[in-house]
Amino acid sequence: AQSVTQPDIHITVSEGASLELRCNYSYGATPYLFWYVQSPGQGLQLLLKYFSGDTLVQGIKGFEAEFKRSQSSFNLRKPSVHWSDAAEYFCAVERGSTLGRLYFGRGTQLTVWP
Amino acid sequence: EAQVTQNPRYLITVTGKKLTVTCSQNMNHEYMSWYRQDPGLGLRQIYYSMNVEVTDKGDVPEGYKVSRKEKRNFPLILESPSPNQTSLYFCASSLIAKNIQYFGAGTRLSVL
């Protein structure tokens, strides 16, 4: 069963528009949560992570994400998208019961129109 | 520079011809892992290792082998590759306590 769900396979936004990428997980306890970005032909780079504490976390490249326990969600946001943000974005979780293992969503491909 | 290095980056082979994809990290990480990435499926874990001589199956281990004889190296072995193993492969490493995984640049494998 899919444990990490990214419901949007592909999103297109105009440059300068705001962005929200959705991620939901299906574990009972709060896992560790991550967002990774993969630019074309590249490996994955960590954007941000949530372990505990403040539920709004800041990452690199102007991204932020908010953990909402009641919704089992960890959505990624950016107020103003740049053309260089076009990439594939992956949400991932680490469950406490399987420390060290990451479970990835299927990814959201972001296209940015000029 | 801290990095995870995979070789080769691109590989075309034929069914049944044994191959090894190497992975090396210079960050003294205990944890290393192999993933395969297929369109629409995201990344799926093949094998992982918590330390030297400690390896375990991930979600899609069939047809693959690994070894961890040294802390820095974690090769992925395909004893008898088949076309359904055509994929993009990533190696990653991390400190277990922090689990911020660092990824290699990927190996694109085609099995004909």
Side-chain angles (χ1 to χ4, degrees), chain A:
Chain A
Q2 184 72 11
S3 302
V4 184
T5 303
Q6 293 181 245
D8 304 305
I9 297 173
H10 195 173
I11 285 182
T12 301
V13 300
S14 299
E15 190 169 20
S18 63
L19 172 70
E20 182 171 32
L21 303 182
R22 296 181 290 166
C23 174
N24 294 91
Y25 62 91
S26 59
Y27 304 110
T30 300
Y32 296 155
L33 299 158
F34 307 82
W35 274 99
Y36 283 84
V37 60
Q38 183 182 27
S39 298
Q42 304 293 315
L44 278 73
Q45 181 184 20
L46 179 69
L47 279 177
L48 48 76
K49 62 190 183 296
Y50 174 78
F51 289 170
S52 64
D54 192 344
T55 56
L56 184 64
V57 295
Q58 303 297 320
I60 61 171
K61 304 185 181 187
F63 285 92
E64 66 179 26
E66 185 172 14
F67 167 59
K68 292 186 177 179
R69 186 190 308 275
S70 61
Q71 298 176 18
S72 297
S73 69
F74 189 56
N75 293 348
L76 181 71
R77 300 195 295 246
K78 187 169 185 178
S80 178
V81 170
H82 188 262
W83 64 266
S84 61
D85 293 324
E88 190 156 22
Y89 293 80
F90 292 95
C91 180
V93 306
E94 179 193 354
R95 306 187 316 207
S97 59
T98 53
L99 200 64
R101 291 193 63 185
L102 280 185
Y103 297 85
F104 284 85
R106 296 184 177 184
T108 298
Q109 182 70 46
L110 175 66
T111 298
V112 180
W113 286 50

Side-chain angles (χ1 to χ4, degrees), chain B residues 4-107:
Chain B
V4 178
T5 303
Q6 294 178 229
N7 280 298
R9 291 290 313 279
Y10 302 92
L11 181 58
I12 300 174
T13 190
V14 295
T15 299
K17 186 176 181 181
K18 181 180 178 180
L19 67 91
T20 299
V21 184
T22 65
C23 175
S24 178
Q25 51 93 5
N26 62 1
M27 295 170 279
N28 202 35
H29 287 166
E30 307 100 340
Y31 182 91
M32 297 187 74
S33 179
W34 277 103
Y35 299 88
R36 60 178 289 173
Q37 182 181 15
D38 301 291
L41 297 178
L43 278 80
R44 294 177 293 167
Q45 191 173 49
I46 303 170
Y47 269 95
Y48 64 99
S49 169
M50 302 289 272
N51 215 322
V52 176
E53 303 290 3
V54 180
T55 63
D56 209 345
K57 296 177 181 178
D59 298 313
V60 288
E62 295 76 20
Y64 304 94
K65 283 177 57 177
V66 293
S67 69
R68 187 94 182 270
K69 293 183 170 56
E70 305 166 282
K71 197 171 188 178
R72 63 182 291 125
N73 296 323
F74 190 47
L76 179 69
I77 303 157
L78 284 72
E79 295 269 3
S80 182
S82 63
N84 65 11
Q85 293 177 298
T86 292
S87 188
L88 179 58
Y89 291 87
F90 287 102
C91 180
S93 74
S94 72
L95 291 171
I96 290 177
K98 291 186 180 294
N99 197 22
I100 297 170
Q101 294 200 11
Y102 294 83
F103 284 80
T107 296

